[in-house]
Amino acid sequence: MFATQGLIFVVKHEQNMQIHLIIAGVTLVSAYLLSLPLVQWMILLLVIAGMFSLEIMNTAVERTVDLITEEFHPLAKRAKDIAAAAVFVYCIFAVIIGVILFVPALIKLL
């Protein structure tokens, strides 16, 4: 129940999560239309789940830092920046994996 409430909160209130959901939807529809093999589907689902999980953890870090201090503090900023960097790094590798999975299928289509 608490996990569901947390997920609903992140989806409703976090713009980055909403962007991730849209991109994931487009990615999954594209994978379907290109008839990607099962192994590639599993890789896509793992990458998408990882992205969602990291974005949720980033939000948890941000809210925790906000709870601890309402004033600007360099360490609070650092904690938020580092959590955001984790999402950014994963996102870069998710795009690379997407290119590796989709480019051959797109070339084959053309």
Side-chain angles (χ1 to χ4, degrees), residues 57-58 61-62 64-66 68 73-86:
M57 288 305 299
N58 180 47
V61 168
E62 289 179 353
T64 302
V65 169
D66 290 345
I68 293 169
H73 191 284
L75 290 177
K77 179 185 182 322
R78 183 72 41 103
K80 287 182 172 187
D81 290 350
I82 291 168

Side-chain angles (χ1 to χ4, degrees), residues 23 27 44 47 51 87-103:
I23 292 171
T27 300
L44 281 176
V47 170
M51 189 78 256
V87 175
F88 181 64
V89 168
Y90 193 90
C91 187
I92 290 169
F93 281 91
V95 169
I96 292 169
I97 291 168
V99 168
I100 291 168
L101 294 177
F102 279 98
V103 166

